[in-house]
Amino acid sequence: MAANINILLLSCSLIWAIFLGNVAHAAPSPQPVSHVLQGPKDLQPRQSTCNTATNRQCWTTSPAFNINTDWEVSTPSTGVTRTYTFTLTEVNNWIGGDGRPKVKAMLINGQFPGPTITANWGDRINITVINNLATNGSSIHFHGLHQKNTNIMDGAGGVTECPIAPTKSKTYSFIATQYGTAWYHSHFSAQYGNGVLGPIAISGPASANYDIDLGPVMIGDWYLGAVNQIAARVNNPNNPYIPGFPGSPPNSDNLLFNGKNVNPAGSGGSRLVLTFTPGKKHLLRIINHSVQNAYTLSLNGHSFQIIATDMVPITPVTVTSLFVGVGQRYDVIVNANQAVGNYWLNATFPSAPCGNSNVARPAAIIRYSGAASTNPTAAGSVPPDSNCADSFAYSPIVTRSAPVSSFTAAPSNTLNTNIKIDNSVAHVFWPVNNSPMKVNWNNPTLEYVKNGNVGSMPAQANVISVPTANTWAFWLIQNNSSIPHPVHLHGHDILLLGASPALANPIAPSNRLRAYNPSTDGPTLKGNNPTRRDTTMLPAWGWLAVAYRTHNPGAWLFHCHVAWHVSQGFSVQYLEQLSAIPTTMNLNTLTSNCNNWDAYYPANAPFLQDDSGI
């Protein structure tokens, strides 16, 4: 019998919060990740008056594509193919960017983060993944890319494909119908926490002008232990990291900036240094690739002009600090209008329990050209506590509006979650509607679709049918726990209609679920061009209302992006337009990869699935 442990979780969260650092100063890493573009052409030049430093809103003039173009309707056809080869390897006691050995690292082309995927809006991207991991299958998900009509390329093992078996390879191929900042990571249990991830930068128009694109700035947590071993212990109620509190995770050992930071426990490592040109405006592509750590970013003496939330261009907003949840991205412009010198780019952890770390003051250095190669002297101000909450105040350039008056909360569109223990199998779960998700690596959802037997899928696949095309699907998610969750939808952007206010003290023993109340909460929902993105925060003890347009046939995961929680089953999958899937994509391409996987697993695999599998 699964036992609800809300009270234990409250106490556990209180202990976790003790370890959260507050201000962020000292810092990380070196040169941006190196990569080599491969393809028949280099990045295409823009017209001399289009997409210049004074006219970024324009992309091309003939044909006309610009910041007001709806890329869900129209995408440039460049005829260019970007080709990449990713080789996955497994290294024991790998010396990471903070100078310390990681028990088990899984790397792409021998580096962390992996190579940057760079393309232009409308290019085709081909990525061949060679799995040379010794003990794991893998798959690569392109987080934020909608894969319009190419759900089979979404890279979710057990859902859109069988995992890639060791010694085998697979090629992902799709059109970059969107532009902006995304990232890729393995979608095979918690594997990406061992290093299988990297950035994506797709060039296109921007809603404000800038001079220099500094590229991706990946900021995320780092664990010296093997993440699969950590997850196994987090999932085991008999051996938690905090005695007496099943499900409690460990602190992260560091927060890395483009793969580097100084060692918080001693000497070693190095800092990321980004160079600013005085008087110029710089585009930074911020990516949170964490397993569990959220943070607030600030740059001493400077402000951020936000121009995109995830991959959605917005009316520019200027802020002095920016909360970034797990999986989220922001495109920001920073004006180098201060005195030549060095400045801390600080990451500050919230007081609420959305990630805890052993490094109290993670930071990188912004160095103006001409400044001395020294650390900054001014620490910077502590930003306001985010309480792990997203802002809903962003206005997308290309508008979307959903008829919230037609939304009625019902069991059929409500997803409830809460931590539970099942002592019969000695496992901690984060079920959705009392069902923790578990996929079958040998028989992914699209295989069921190909074989016409979706009706035989097990209940633990957490399949939700969304059969009708081109309608608004409304969903209410309720969180009966003290932990805020970053939730991510594959294949779509979600309209953020409304949410409970973030609690200043979510671990207070008196807290209870603040369930959605149609009478009082319904009138607060915003359907007229609300904030739109693919990853957002579900408040502790509260609700979140979202909507998405059903215009992309496929099996799409909707899950918490804390790796421990998705490992524990916090996910559903929307089976969208089932009847259209076989005619939208070639499901026969599943066969070769699945045959390879079936030959490997389970007979020849050293480890068997012991979690959700995603």
Side-chain angles (χ1 to χ4, degrees):
M1 177 71 69
N4 189 313
I5 60 164
N6 284 340
I7 295 175
L8 293 179
L9 179 59
L10 286 171
S11 302
C12 177
S13 300
L14 178 60
I15 295 175
W16 298 351
I18 294 174
F19 297 112
L20 293 174
N22 252 351
V23 190
H25 308 161
S29 165
Q31 286 63 339
V33 182
S34 62
H35 64 279
V36 178
L37 282 178
Q38 303 172 37
K41 300 180 182 179
D42 201 353
L43 294 178
Q44 300 302 292
R46 308 267 60 83
Q47 288 85 347
S48 60
T49 59
C50 190
N51 202 248
T52 65
T54 57
N55 187 17
R56 295 291 183 187
Q57 295 72 51
C58 179
W59 184 240
T60 61
T61 56
S62 180
F65 286 94
N66 56 55
I67 194 66
N68 296 305
T69 301
D70 186 346
W71 45 253
E72 290 188 356
V73 175
S74 184
T75 298
S77 179
T78 66
V80 175
T81 299
R82 310 286 169 184
T83 302
Y84 295 84
T85 299
F86 289 173
T87 300
L88 312 186
T89 54
E90 192 170 321
V91 184
N92 295 327
N93 298 312
W94 184 71
I95 303 301
D98 64 357
R100 296 183 290 177
K102 178 173 173 57
V103 171
K104 176 78 70 177
M106 296 178 177
L107 308 175
I108 301 176
N109 296 357
Q111 65 185 69
F112 177 81
T116 302
I117 294 175
T118 305
N120 272 351
W121 182 22
D123 289 351
R124 176 170 289 279
I125 302 173
N126 290 345
I127 306 103
T128 297
V129 178
I130 302 169
N131 182 10
N132 285 342
L133 299 176
T135 59
N136 274 202
S138 195
S139 65
I140 299 297
H141 169 60
F142 306 92
H143 181 121
L145 301 188
H146 289 184
Q147 299 291 354
K148 187 66 180 291
N149 295 326
T150 53
N151 174 242
I152 203 167
M153 296 295 168
D154 193 50
V159 179
T160 62
E161 65 179 77
C162 295
I164 307 166
T167 76
K168 303 302 181 181
S169 65
K170 175 179 177 173
T171 297
Y172 298 88
S173 181
F174 50 85
I175 300 292
T177 61
Q178 304 154 259
Y179 57 86
T181 303
W183 61 301
Y184 61 87
H185 60 82
S186 62
H187 226 302
F188 183 89
S189 296
Q191 184 184 83
Y192 83 83
N194 278 335
V196 187
L197 60 87
I200 302 172
I202 299 176
S203 297
S207 62
N209 294 326
Y210 61 87
D211 299 290
I212 301 168
D213 183 348
L214 289 181
V217 182
M218 299 198 81
I219 307 172
D221 54 26
W222 186 247
Y223 296 82
L224 298 180
V227 170
N228 54 301
Q229 294 175 359
I230 296 172
R233 183 173 172 184
V234 172
N235 295 345
N236 181 357
N238 299 317
N239 188 27
Y241 279 90
I242 301 176
F245 299 102
S248 55
N251 292 358
S252 68
D253 292 295
N254 212 334
L255 194 76
L256 303 185
F257 293 67
N258 279 356
K260 289 194 174 183
N261 199 347
V262 293
N263 176 5
S267 61
S270 58
R271 308 177 188 279
L272 171 67
V273 178
L274 297 175
T275 301
F276 275 12
T277 300
K280 299 295 185 181
K281 295 181 178 180
H282 302 77
L283 174 65
L284 278 65
R285 301 171 179 268
I286 307 300
I287 304 168
N288 184 342
H289 65 77
S290 292
V291 166
Q292 72 169 2
N293 283 172
Y295 49 79
T296 296
L297 205 62
S298 58
L299 175 55
N300 186 28
H302 298 75
S303 58
F304 300 129
Q305 185 182 40
I306 307 169
I307 61 170
T309 55
D310 295 343
M311 298 187 82
V312 178
I314 65 168
T315 300
V317 175
T318 300
V319 298
T320 55
S321 62
L322 178 62
F323 171 76
V324 191
V326 177
Q328 292 186 326
R329 293 90 61 216
Y330 285 93
D331 288 356
V332 302
I333 296 171
V334 182
N335 191 357
N337 57 4
Q338 299 300 302
V340 170
N342 295 288
Y343 299 86
W344 288 121
L345 177 64
N346 292 319
T348 304
F349 296 116
S351 61
C354 56
N356 43 307
S357 182
N358 290 330
V359 55
R361 301 182 175 189
I365 295 174
I366 300 297
R367 176 166 295 148
Y368 278 57
S369 180
S373 298
T374 58
N375 285 347
T377 56
S381 302
V382 179
D385 192 337
S386 68
N387 296 318
C388 305
D390 271 337
S391 170
F392 282 29
Y394 304 119
S395 297
I397 299 290
V398 176
T399 63
R400 297 278 185 276
S401 294
V404 292
S405 60
S406 67
F407 167 61
T408 301
S412 60
N413 61 18
T414 300
L415 306 175
N416 295 297
T417 190
N418 191 9
I419 192 170
K420 290 186 177 180
I421 297 175
D422 188 340
N423 288 315
S424 68
V425 292
H427 205 290
V428 178
F429 292 106
W430 273 98
V432 179
N433 291 349
N434 294 314
S435 176
M437 188 178 195
K438 185 175 183 179
V439 299
N440 183 343
W441 288 330
N442 296 76
N443 200 1
T445 303
L446 289 187
E447 188 80 11
Y448 280 97
V449 174
K450 185 185 78 167
N451 295 331
N453 59 353
V454 168
S456 66
M457 293 186 70
Q460 63 188 5
N462 281 10
V463 174
I464 299 174
S465 178
V466 185
T468 307
N470 296 313
T471 62
W472 286 104
F474 293 91
W475 297 94
L476 174 68
I477 308 98
Q478 297 192 126
N479 178 14
N480 194 24
S481 81
S482 60
I483 306 297
H485 297 277
V487 290
H488 169 57
L489 177 61
H490 292 213
H492 301 270
D493 289 323
I494 47 179
L495 276 62
L496 307 186
L497 307 178
S500 303
L503 294 174
N505 184 18
I507 59 176
S510 60
N511 287 332
R512 297 293 182 271
L513 174 65
R514 298 167 293 156
Y516 176 81
N517 185 323
S519 298
T520 56
D521 296 325
T524 69
L525 299 182
K526 180 182 178 182
N528 183 20
N529 198 35
T531 297
R532 190 168 76 246
R533 59 189 318 157
D534 58 64
T535 309
T536 192
M537 296 300 297
L538 170 64
W541 301 112
W543 57 270
L544 169 70
V546 302
Y548 67 89
R549 191 77 175 171
T550 59
H551 53 23
N552 197 5
W556 303 110
L557 286 174
F558 184 40
H559 63 90
C560 176
H561 221 290
V562 171
W564 322 127
H565 298 165
V566 72
S567 171
Q568 293 162 339
F570 191 158
S571 180
V572 298
Q573 55 178 316
Y574 295 118
L575 192 56
E576 183 176 337
Q577 298 182 59
L578 170 60
S579 61
I581 295 173
T583 58
T584 303
M585 62 204 75
N586 182 5
L587 296 177
N588 290 324
T589 59
L590 293 167
T591 303
S592 176
N593 194 52
C594 282
N595 286 345
N596 290 336
W597 181 254
D598 291 342
Y600 169 75
Y601 188 91
N604 297 305
F607 303 110
L608 300 183
Q609 181 179 352
D610 61 0
D611 68 353
S612 70
I614 57 172

